[in-house]
Amino acid sequence: MPVEIPKDTWSGSVCTVTLGATTAAGGTRSHTVTVGGHKTLPFMHFEQPMAHRPVIALEIRDRRPDDWSPLLLEVWGNAVDDPASWANAGEKAGADLLVLSLSLTGADGHPTTPEAAVAAVKAVLKASGLPLLVFAPGQADLDNQLLVPVAEATKGERLVLGICEDKNYRTIVATAMANGHLISTRTPMDVNLAKQLNILVRDMGIPADRILMDPTTGALGYGIEYGYSVMERLRLAALQGDGNTQSPMIVTPGAEAWKAKEAKVGQDVPAAWGDWRERAITWETLTAVALIESGADIVVLRHPESLRRVRVASDDLMAVPETI
Amino acid sequence: MALTGIQIYKLLPKTNCKDCGLPTCLAFAMKLAAKQMELSACPHVNSDAKSQLADAAEPPVRLVTLKADGHEVKSGNETVLFRHEKTFFNKPGLFIRVQDDEAADGIRAKVSAADTYTVRYVGMDLTLDGFAVQSASSDPARFADAVSAVRAISKRPLILIARDPAIMATGLRAIDGESPLIYCADAGNWQAMADLAKQHRTALAVCSDKLDELADLTGKLKTKGVADLVLDPATRRLGTSLIRQTQIRRLALKKDFRPLGYPIIAFPCDASDPTQESVLAAQAIAKYAGFIVLNHFAPEMIYPLLVLRENIFTDPQKPIQVQPGLYEINDPKPGDPVLVTTNFSITYFSVANEVEGAGLPAWLLIVDAEGMSVLTAWAAGKFDAERIAKAVKETGVARKVARKRIVLPGHVAVLSGELEEELPDWEIRVGPREAVDLPVFMKQAL
Amino acid sequence: MTEHSVSFDIASEPVRVLTGALVIEAARLAGVDIQQPCGGQGRCGRCAVQVTEGSVRRRSTLRLSPEDIAAGYALACQSVVEGDVSIAVPPQEKIERRLTTERTAVEVTIPPGYSPAAQPMRRVALTLVPPDRQDQTDDWGRIQTALRQQTGIDAFQISLTLLRRIGAVLRADDWAVTALLEADTWDRPNGPARVVDLWPGHIPDDAPLWGIAVDIGTTTVTLWLVDLMTGAVRAQVAEYNGQIARGEDVISRIIYAGKDSGGLELRDLVLKTINTLIATACKRVQVDPANVIKAAVAGNSTMIHLLLGIPAESIRLAPFVTAVNHIPALQAGVIGLDIHPEATVDCLPGVASYVGADISAGVLSSGLDDAGPVTLFMDVGTNGETVMGNREWLVTCACSAGPAFEGAGVLHGMRATEGAIEEVWINGGTFEPTFRIIGGGKARGVCGSGLIALLAELFLTGVIDRSGNINLKLPTARVRRGEHGPEYVLVWGSETQDGHDIVITRVDIDNLLRAKAAIYAGFTVLAEKVGAPLETAEEVLIGGSFGKYINVEKAVEIGLLPDMPWDRFRFLGNTSVRGAYLALLDRTARARITDIAARMTYIELSADNTFYDAFTSALFLPHTDLARFPTVQAAVASNANASHKSGKGT
């Protein structure tokens, strides 16, 4: 019985966004990373080839993150005390991109200064040739104080500046446009809010090929289903031609999974949870792979072994013979 | 094709007689469209309309149920490709595989650990569903022994795996009278397998790496009288499985293609890289498998998969909730205030984001208000002084703070009096109505 | 370049300008002051002038009708001089009137062919033969016989109160008496007629017979005083519902009513409001309230329950049922209405907890229940109810919009009365507002239509973004951080009645956004659930307390109303009170309301998360799905261009 396989045809496609700029293009990156461009749902190779594979970013910090799980501090060792070494280690672990998250305060307890932020960003750029995303601590005034000098000091690098939110996007968008960078928007797990913020930033005139959107996810067990479905809906809308959902999607399964008690702690937990390290890595890996399959273009991870496993999975998802 | 409420209404008598228990024919039509009522509730509908409506009601993916000793695994009856479109209904069964060439002790240890495994997640006790016994030795007697050994320990549903009908027959005899799922029929053995399936009234899995052949086989098996079929498209890698399983679900739902309108069985147990077994299983849960066979039993792998299954099969039509409980914002100290609100996720996010964004430390007490926003919950009687007091007690927040101060959302200022009675040793403060005003309130009034 | 002469009727000398000059530039040269509230962006139409000789090239004719253009009207800011012209500048007031005729109030039309026989109240003049030794018929029997002879009705009822007075009345004017009958009512169609009152002597046939139609809104109570003889509405009055102080929405009221003596207190408050309105209306036409002998009352289910002192708690709690939808005939004295104590009070029937008599009455007055094509009817109030359908089917839903559009719950909101700003324009370059105040004096606040206009203008001029965030970086003192967060100053204190600035705050904007989003989401979800797309609605009927004042264009701009051709909208004003009025006047209309209430299928929006999704989607200006609002998108784009070109981009 001959079976005719139904193929979806779509009128819309996901924007193609290139992160980082090489020397030739006015930056200092060793190479660039391009995401997006999809004309169909993730990994449906029999309909359209995947324009760009999903990429894995590794999150590093400007200083030792005191609240991170001991498993993470242990695996990165002394690198966590120096963003440049951490960046190096991350590149060696196989990351495609680096995310530098700036801390709210310095080790002295005072708010992070613009000078310190610029220094950390420059150190990371010097240590690794990977394209870089810089995320501010998430407090409107401080974010703007830190990101503007960072953007100015790295003009032309095509960094991704984050995070633009509904209540605080104007300054970040303006400085990204003025200094040749990209932005990342973030909205709390809602299709409409994601679209709305996309419209707001585009109303300021930033071109679509400079926008990444983070629709936010919960970790496995902590609301992953909402993030998962929001991303599926956004991707479907993008393919159906809704111009305000066509930005490539970035999510942070690493940060979410490692916030979960299941990953973070190894003591005073039920025996039925099993081995701590393996459970934690599985937590991060499954969160990330589920999101990649629902449409994530960039997943931000924290543990090198999860990174390796997600890489194996994404290679497998990409390596599909055309006969299938 | 599914009909809209108005389309169904036009087929109904339009008398508003209320015999179905609803006030109007249109209300009934809309219930039918939403599949919340059966047509039989209307005693007056004519036969012509009946046949038109029945066609629209047939499930595109057949329901296959495995039962054993009170345990039950249901698969099929799915109506959507994406869970947000409605919901995924039947959680795939998770089975642990043993092979008959494994040592008997090893089998016993693995099965009894897996059989008794239970883990608590948001108030539910999650367990595995059953076991798959595979003939690896090609020895019918060993297979039968392995089946008996598993059955001696676990009462859960079984899947028997053997390509040779003779071996399968011995396995079935070992648990005579039961109806496991048997795996599998292929182009070579399908007639013999069909006979076994009919004889033992079992569900039968069908395997082929070609969809054409798979559809052919299900057609023949159906003609031969085997109704409960399960599909194995024979893909064992992540990328190919995703595509095949998507294609099968699409054909069933969008093309109403009955030969592939059956649940799918997946075999993450065959992963070449053991660290990918959980990844394959996770994909199978989200992307359309009805039965999932795992090789390893390890709590650190099973727990995440059981949780994922709960998450993916949560009904997305229900309001988005966060876990009730005590949340720490910006590393609060005993002197910091306790803010209270409901467990509607948007409410939680607005409050948490405002406070977190302002860098103000606070204890955020999330009350179980059945996922409603502050005003809705209050209106529906789900966010009152009693519930707040209960949350205060259950979370033990009193032990974490030095100063017992609790801030109510301004919208429910009216609750402050009752809350004072419920929590006599607490200072009750009324905060602003909107989350956006919280930072200023906290800086100036607290 | 050629020079042309431009002469203005109100300037002494013509001026000379080059080809391509705008009329407004010529006016400035000539010293003629033409108002440009929108800053010369061609949006407001306030700079319309009339070309009396020669012609101009009109770059834009927005806001000009073909008749206007034929009459020579052109927008001074959008019209280019290309030859010698003479221009008449109409007085500003005249322009305003021309612009506002598009949305004049719906006059109450008496139902065509109205006869007092259509309603149950009638006066019957009787001249009785006095009793004597032969004829010892009792007084009541005597009246019944005379009534039977004169009306053909067989059986009559009378109250004890009236029996106590009967003897005196009959003898007061020598056995000439006028009986007030109530016959063939909705609750006893062929039952006995009721003698409501007896007056000594004969009252002239054409003397008025008074009834009231009342709409009890959550926020506003409206009352019409009607002469049942002619059908004419002789007074229309409205006031905020006195219960507001005990909660702005029905839920708060229900909860309040459930506590101690809360129910009694709320009943007294609304009675006080209604009785004050009765007194005001009666005073206006110099009628004794005791002569009002019939009342028809519409209102949402909660309001009716509270008026009657019926516990309403079950309305709020699942599964959300009322105590009563079809209320029997009651008497004014029992309820506590200060009209004739024996007057029948007809509380019209509702459909469900959140779709009350106001909607049954509204559907009647809109004619939706008899429409051929699919029609949408919405009642915009504190609760936003929508009905969709035609003569074959009717579905309805309700959502809580909050009182923002009635001017409550907004810092400087007020009802549409004297001193309320009802229309606003903001200059896209300077961000300076101009506005129109009801009554023309100093401003006291902003009413619903003013708030809609204000929100639309703030959005179109970029003072707020699509989420409602105020752009504090604009070069104007009118945006600032106030006590309640970011705000825009609409009127400086020096120009207001109480000397305080009139502002709109971020919180107000959020309230307005939520109100409009709830209403928009309500009707879109309703259409979706029933499977009849919104676009299939050939007519959109809008009722509500501000229904008759609303500016369609602004309402579409903020995404309150769907972006449809404007001629599909029809504004009906307060349809609830109008439905009550029709029920008061006509038995057939009253029967239709019962039928409507029975036919309407109620859809519960909170059954799943579709409504929430639609609501969030609508919580944006004009809507997250911009494709639904193509004309607004075009307006935004052209504004952006205009400010860009004039170098005023920010």
Side-chain angles (χ1 to χ4, degrees):
Chain A
M1 184 185 297
V3 175
E4 194 193 329
I5 293 173
K7 291 189 180 182
D8 287 338
T9 50
W10 304 100
S11 59
S13 62
V14 177
C15 294
T16 303
V17 173
T18 298
L19 290 76
T22 57
T23 320
T28 62
R29 304 297 79 210
S30 60
H31 63 282
T32 62
V33 168
T34 301
V35 293
H38 314 296
K39 293 185 167 63
T40 189
L41 290 169
F43 312 108
M44 295 293 112
H45 305 277
F46 69 101
E47 293 174 336
Q48 294 273 352
M50 279 280 275
H52 295 282
R53 65 186 179 90
V55 302
I56 307 171
L58 187 88
E59 181 182 359
I60 61 174
R61 308 293 293 244
D62 55 349
R63 69 176 181 90
R64 170 181 281 267
D66 303 321
D67 58 343
W68 278 27
S69 170
L71 287 177
L72 290 169
L73 296 176
E74 183 188 63
V75 74
W76 293 113
N78 291 334
V80 299
D81 292 315
D82 171 35
S85 331
W86 201 347
N88 257 322
E91 185 168 358
K92 285 204 189 82
D96 298 306
L97 300 168
L98 294 173
V99 172
L100 175 64
S101 297
L102 300 173
S103 305
L104 189 60
T105 56
D108 58 1
H110 294 295
T112 302
T113 61
E115 296 73 27
V118 170
V121 171
K122 287 200 152 175
V124 169
L125 287 173
K126 202 169 164 212
S128 163
L130 297 180
L132 179 66
L133 300 84
V134 179
F135 288 174
Q139 289 190 15
D141 293 341
L142 183 61
D143 285 11
N144 296 342
Q145 282 167 31
L146 299 183
L147 286 177
V148 172
V150 164
E152 286 167 355
T154 57
K155 191 170 175 128
E157 288 279 13
R158 285 184 80 91
L159 302 187
V160 176
L161 303 179
I163 293 151
C164 293
E165 295 183 290
D166 172 49
K167 297 279 189 292
N168 186 40
Y169 63 87
R170 289 178 184 278
T171 305
I172 303 175
V173 173
T175 195
M177 285 164 72
N179 295 293
H181 297 305
L182 284 57
I183 57 157
S184 184
T185 63
R186 181 178 288 173
T187 44
M189 287 203 272
D190 184 285
V191 174
N192 290 306
L193 299 180
K195 285 171 69 170
Q196 289 169 5
L197 184 54
N198 201 277
I199 296 168
L200 292 174
V201 298
R202 297 215 9 219
D203 275 356
M204 286 191 68
I206 190 164
D209 67 357
R210 287 179 180 265
I211 305 171
L212 298 176
M213 64 177 171
D214 178 356
T216 315
T217 183
L220 179 59
Y222 296 83
I224 189 176
E225 64 271 32
Y226 304 121
Y228 179 89
S229 283
V230 164
M231 289 172 72
E232 283 196 331
R233 288 179 63 189
L234 284 168
R235 184 50 48 90
L236 285 165
L239 295 172
Q240 280 156 5
D242 180 341
N244 293 304
T245 54
Q246 291 173 339
S247 300
M249 292 189 279
I250 175 172
V251 271
T252 55
E256 294 301 326
W258 287 98
K259 256 199 296 198
K261 192 175 180 190
E262 282 84 346
K264 196 170 180 179
V265 298
Q267 288 173 338
D268 297 329
V269 299
W273 286 12
D275 177 74
W276 179 22
R277 179 181 174 276
E278 180 60 25
R279 176 181 78 235
I281 289 165
T282 305
W283 218 261
E284 186 177 24
T285 304
L286 295 195
T287 305
V289 174
L291 296 174
I292 284 177
E293 293 195 353
S294 69
D297 295 284
I298 302 174
V299 288
V300 186
L301 301 181
R302 285 188 173 174
H303 197 285
E305 172 59 14
S306 317
L307 194 158
R308 189 195 68 78
R309 292 186 190 183
V310 174
R311 168 79 67 216
V312 172
S314 92
D315 285 350
D316 198 359
L317 284 164
M318 291 303 291
V320 173
E322 280 173 24
T323 52
I324 195 125
Chain B
M1 284 310 279
L3 300 176
T4 65
I6 294 285
Q7 286 167 330
I8 296 174
Y9 173 68
K10 292 190 170 150
L11 299 169
L12 296 177
K14 290 184 261 193
T15 51
N16 295 342
C17 72
K18 302 184 174 59
D19 287 351
C20 61
L22 293 176
T24 64
C25 289
L26 182 55
F28 179 59
M30 294 179 69
K31 288 277 181 197
L32 288 180
K35 299 202 190 320
Q36 291 164 346
M37 276 181 88
E38 302 280 334
L39 183 61
S40 55
C42 174
H44 310 293
V45 67
N46 67 36
S47 58
D48 187 35
K50 249 183 211 162
S51 67
Q52 284 188 53
L53 291 168
D55 282 350
E58 179 81 1
V61 178
R62 187 180 170 84
L63 183 72
V64 173
T65 307
L66 295 191
K67 286 184 184 168
D69 191 46
H71 298 284
E72 188 177 76
V73 180
K74 284 162 95 174
S75 179
N77 259 3
E78 300 299 336
T79 58
V80 292
L81 277 159
F82 302 99
R83 56 184 293 281
H84 68 260
E85 293 173 313
K86 187 169 182 72
T87 186
F88 290 169
F89 290 101
N90 290 306
K91 294 173 196 166
L94 289 174
F95 291 77
I96 299 291
R97 177 185 69 178
V98 296
Q99 291 175 302
D100 66 359
D101 59 354
E102 292 174 44
D105 284 356
I107 292 179
R108 273 195 292 274
K110 183 168 162 182
V111 172
S112 73
D115 188 57
T116 54
Y117 180 75
T118 167
V119 64
R120 207 160 171 79
Y121 171 68
V122 292
M124 292 176 294
D125 288 316
L126 308 180
T127 63
L128 290 161
D129 298 284
F131 295 89
V133 188
Q134 181 167 16
S135 161
S137 65
S138 301
D139 176 351
R142 269 196 94 139
F143 184 56
D145 287 349
V147 171
S148 303
V150 172
R151 182 44 93 222
I153 298 167
S154 171
K155 305 284 185 222
R156 295 176 190 275
L158 297 181
I159 300 173
L160 304 191
I161 303 177
R163 292 258 172 164
D164 181 340
I167 297 178
M168 182 62 80
T170 62
L172 283 167
R173 272 197 299 277
I175 47 167
D176 205 23
E178 289 195 43
S179 300
L181 165 63
I182 62 173
Y183 180 98
C184 69
D186 57 27
N189 70 6
W190 67 273
Q191 285 173 312
M193 282 293 185
D195 290 337
L196 286 173
K198 277 163 69 181
Q199 186 190 340
H200 294 272
R201 291 190 298 276
T202 70
L204 173 60
V206 188
C207 176
S208 170
D209 62 352
K210 294 179 192 68
L211 290 184
D212 297 3
E213 193 175 76
L214 206 53
D216 264 338
L217 281 169
T218 60
K220 288 176 188 162
L221 289 164
K222 191 178 174 190
T223 314
K224 217 162 180 280
V226 187
D228 286 338
L229 299 174
V230 172
L231 309 174
D232 174 18
T235 49
R236 294 293 181 267
R237 300 188 64 99
L238 214 49
T240 48
S241 299
L242 179 63
I243 288 181
R244 270 292 181 258
Q245 297 185 17
T246 304
Q247 289 170 339
I248 290 171
R249 176 73 74 94
R250 267 195 210 169
L251 279 160
L253 297 191
K254 291 166 89 172
K255 299 288 166 187
D256 207 12
F257 186 68
R258 302 285 160 157
L260 294 180
Y262 299 99
I264 296 168
I265 185 166
F267 291 92
C269 54
D270 293 340
S272 49
D273 173 351
T275 65
Q276 292 293 301
E277 185 176 2
S278 58
V279 174
L280 279 157
Q283 175 182 281
I285 287 169
K287 292 294 179 185
Y288 317 136
F291 301 93
I292 298 170
V293 183
L294 300 164
N295 188 29
H296 296 89
F297 170 74
E300 59 272 16
M301 176 178 89
I302 299 301
Y303 174 46
L305 290 175
L306 289 171
V307 169
L308 180 68
R309 186 173 69 168
E310 290 305 314
N311 292 166
I312 293 292
F313 282 75
T314 299
D315 183 354
Q317 303 302 320
K318 300 249 171 73
I320 305 184
Q321 306 188 17
V322 290
Q323 285 271 96
L326 188 65
Y327 290 75
E328 301 182 5
I329 312 276
N330 293 329
D331 202 10
K333 305 281 179 294
D336 292 319
V338 179
L339 312 178
V340 60
T341 191
T342 71
N343 68 328
F344 179 46
S345 76
I346 305 297
T347 304
Y348 164 79
F349 274 118
S350 345
V351 174
N353 286 353
E354 286 298 341
V355 179
E356 197 166 358
L360 297 165
W363 304 90
L364 182 53
L365 181 68
I366 299 299
V367 176
D368 183 1
E370 298 180 16
M372 293 183 221
S373 64
V374 169
L375 271 178
T376 318
W378 169 72
K382 307 291 182 196
F383 186 55
D384 51 23
E386 208 176 312
R387 283 196 183 225
I388 296 171
K390 190 165 163 247
V392 166
K393 279 162 196 155
E394 282 177 357
T395 55
V397 59
R399 290 191 300 277
K400 304 200 174 181
V401 294
R403 186 168 166 198
K404 292 183 178 174
R405 262 189 315 177
I406 195 161
V407 181
L408 277 179
H411 279 297
V412 290
V414 44
L415 294 180
S416 58
E418 289 163 40
L419 196 57
E420 269 169 19
E421 286 170 28
E422 294 274 349
L423 299 171
D425 48 346
W426 284 74
E427 177 191 349
I428 314 292
R429 301 287 298 270
V430 175
R433 291 158 77 111
E434 304 298 333
V436 61
D437 299 323
L438 260 172
V440 172
F441 172 80
M442 291 172 70
K443 280 180 205 156
Q444 294 177 354
L446 292 182
Chain C
M1 282 257 194
T2 326
E3 273 199 356
H4 310 286
S5 154
V6 182
S7 56
F8 291 90
D9 61 340
I10 55 171
S12 45
E13 297 284 320
V15 292
R16 300 198 63 80
V17 295
L18 292 173
T19 301
L22 291 172
V23 171
I24 193 82
E25 291 164 353
R28 217 169 283 141
L29 266 180
V32 171
D33 183 30
I34 298 177
Q35 283 200 25
Q36 288 182 279
C38 74
Q41 296 177 353
R43 289 191 293 115
C44 68
R46 292 286 187 85
C47 64
V49 294
Q50 196 178 11
V51 179
T52 48
E53 270 176 59
S55 68
V56 293
R57 182 166 57 84
R58 295 170 177 84
R59 291 202 307 222
S60 163
T61 55
L62 193 71
R63 252 165 246 295
L64 296 178
S65 67
E67 294 77 36
D68 288 337
I69 294 168
Y73 280 97
L75 301 180
C77 73
Q78 297 292 320
S79 299
V80 178
V81 178
E82 293 182 336
D84 294 350
V85 285
S86 298
I87 287 171
V89 180
Q92 192 61 31
E93 179 208 358
K94 201 169 146 195
I95 294 173
E96 282 188 16
R97 198 168 311 127
R98 208 175 49 77
L99 286 168
T100 54
T101 46
E102 299 160 6
R103 48 181 193 82
T104 41
V106 181
E107 293 295 322
V108 183
T109 44
I110 299 167
Y114 175 72
S115 143
Q119 55 82 42
M121 308 308 296
R122 59 198 280 197
R123 268 187 313 245
V124 185
L126 304 171
T127 308
L128 304 176
V129 180
D132 55 28
R133 295 288 172 103
Q134 269 72 48
D135 178 6
Q136 293 201 334
T137 311
D138 63 311
D139 289 352
W140 170 228
R142 192 168 302 274
I143 291 173
Q144 289 186 76
T145 308
L147 280 172
R148 207 171 291 130
Q149 284 165 354
Q150 206 143 331
T151 64
I153 297 171
D154 285 336
F156 300 91
Q157 293 176 338
I158 190 164
S159 69
L160 175 61
T161 326
L162 195 47
L163 282 177
R164 286 179 180 142
R165 292 196 286 120
I166 191 167
V169 174
L170 293 191
R171 289 160 185 85
D173 196 3
D174 200 16
W175 302 89
V177 63
T178 303
L180 177 66
L181 278 192
E182 184 176 50
D184 198 8
T185 56
W186 90 94
D187 58 332
R188 0 175 262 276
N190 298 304
R194 184 166 75 95
V195 180
V196 177
D197 205 351
L198 290 164
W199 296 296
H202 289 171
I203 295 172
D205 280 350
D206 58 351
L209 189 57
W210 298 104
I212 51 172
V214 187
D215 166 47
I216 310 176
T218 312
T219 305
T220 310
V221 180
T222 306
L223 183 143
W224 291 1
L225 180 62
V226 182
D227 177 1
L228 300 175
M229 297 308 291
T230 61
V233 176
R234 298 290 302 279
Q236 298 186 26
V237 286
E239 188 46 77
Y240 275 147
N241 186 330
Q243 296 173 337
I244 288 185
R246 303 293 177 270
E248 283 174 357
D249 52 84
V250 293
I251 301 295
S252 322
R253 306 266 176 93
I254 294 172
I255 290 175
Y256 192 87
K259 283 182 189 159
D260 305 332
S261 57
L264 276 177
E265 189 187 335
L266 291 184
R267 195 182 75 186
D268 288 348
L269 284 169
V270 73
L271 278 172
K272 195 170 164 201
T273 305
I274 300 173
N275 287 333
T276 309
L277 288 172
I278 292 169
T280 312
C282 287
K283 194 171 173 199
R284 201 174 289 171
V285 278
Q286 298 187 330
V287 178
D288 178 355
N291 283 335
V292 175
I293 45 76
K294 179 74 190 279
V297 180
N300 65 55
S301 303
T302 304
M303 290 303 113
I304 299 293
H305 279 60
L306 294 179
L307 169 72
L308 301 178
I310 300 171
E313 198 70 8
S314 62
I315 290 179
R316 156 175 101 96
L317 301 174
F320 317 110
V321 293
T322 59
V324 52
N325 283 340
H326 295 259
I327 292 158
L330 299 168
Q331 277 156 34
V334 177
I335 297 176
L337 289 186
D338 290 346
I339 54 175
H340 192 297
E342 300 271 325
T344 294
V345 178
D346 178 6
C347 293
L348 301 174
V351 180
S353 274
Y354 293 106
V355 178
D358 49 346
I359 303 307
S360 321
V363 168
L364 171 83
S365 69
S366 72
L368 173 65
D369 61 315
D370 196 32
V374 174
T375 304
L376 194 68
F377 163 69
M378 56 177 103
D379 187 35
V380 182
T382 311
N383 300 304
E385 294 98 345
T386 304
V387 185
M388 188 174 192
N390 55 19
R391 67 171 73 99
E392 284 178 36
W393 53 271
L394 292 172
V395 291
T396 179
C397 70
C399 57
S400 177
F405 288 137
E406 292 176 72
V410 172
L411 195 58
H412 290 113
M414 63 179 288
R415 278 192 341 102
T417 55
E418 184 273 323
I421 293 173
E422 58 164 354
E423 175 75 276
V424 180
W425 291 95
I426 294 176
N427 184 310
T430 62
F431 308 105
E432 286 299 303
T434 42
F435 38 81
R436 190 173 57 240
I437 299 167
I438 297 176
K442 282 191 166 184
R444 278 204 295 142
V446 193
C447 66
S449 58
L451 288 167
I452 290 173
L454 176 56
L455 189 63
E457 286 293 291
L458 289 171
F459 163 50
L460 287 178
T461 54
V463 176
I464 59 175
D465 70 12
R466 293 174 188 272
S467 279
N469 296 310
I470 294 176
N471 185 355
L472 290 172
K473 292 183 179 163
L474 291 181
T476 167
R478 288 190 182 265
V479 293
R480 67 185 186 193
R481 229 175 247 289
E483 197 184 327
H484 305 271
E487 61 189 26
Y488 172 84
V489 184
L490 181 58
V491 195
W492 296 111
S494 55
E495 298 160 29
T496 63
Q497 280 190 19
D498 67 358
H500 293 110
D501 294 350
I502 292 177
V503 302
I504 181 155
T505 68
R506 171 70 228 229
V507 177
D508 295 340
I509 292 170
D510 278 345
N511 281 336
L512 289 165
L513 283 176
R514 273 196 290 269
K516 76 99 184 171
I519 291 165
Y520 187 86
F523 59 73
T524 47
V525 171
L526 184 69
E528 195 179 302
K529 292 233 161 170
V530 77
L534 203 55
E535 305 80 66
T536 60
E538 293 191 15
E539 200 170 26
V540 179
L541 309 174
I542 296 156
S545 51
F546 71 50
K548 58 186 167 180
Y549 307 109
I550 192 176
N551 177 328
V552 189
E553 184 187 12
K554 304 278 189 213
V556 172
E557 279 166 359
I558 65 167
L560 167 64
L561 298 179
D563 196 349
M564 286 180 170
W566 294 356
D567 56 13
R568 288 205 208 167
F569 295 105
R570 206 145 56 79
F571 291 88
L572 306 176
N574 185 330
T575 49
S576 175
V577 74
R578 187 157 182 279
Y581 162 76
L582 294 173
L584 188 69
L585 287 188
D586 186 350
R587 288 184 190 85
T588 324
R590 178 61 181 78
R592 249 174 79 190
I593 291 186
T594 307
D595 178 54
I596 288 166
R599 277 177 57 205
M600 271 200 274
T601 299
Y602 175 66
I603 312 283
E604 173 59 51
L605 292 179
S606 66
D608 56 38
N609 62 5
T610 337
F611 176 76
Y612 183 76
D613 214 40
F615 174 71
T616 324
S617 189
L619 211 51
F620 204 56
L621 291 167
H623 192 275
T624 307
D625 189 356
L626 300 179
R628 289 175 185 235
F629 287 85
T631 65
V632 181
Q633 265 311 89
V636 172
S638 84
N639 273 350
N641 274 340
S643 30
H644 184 69
K645 275 184 199 140
S646 58
K648 286 162 189 159
T650 45

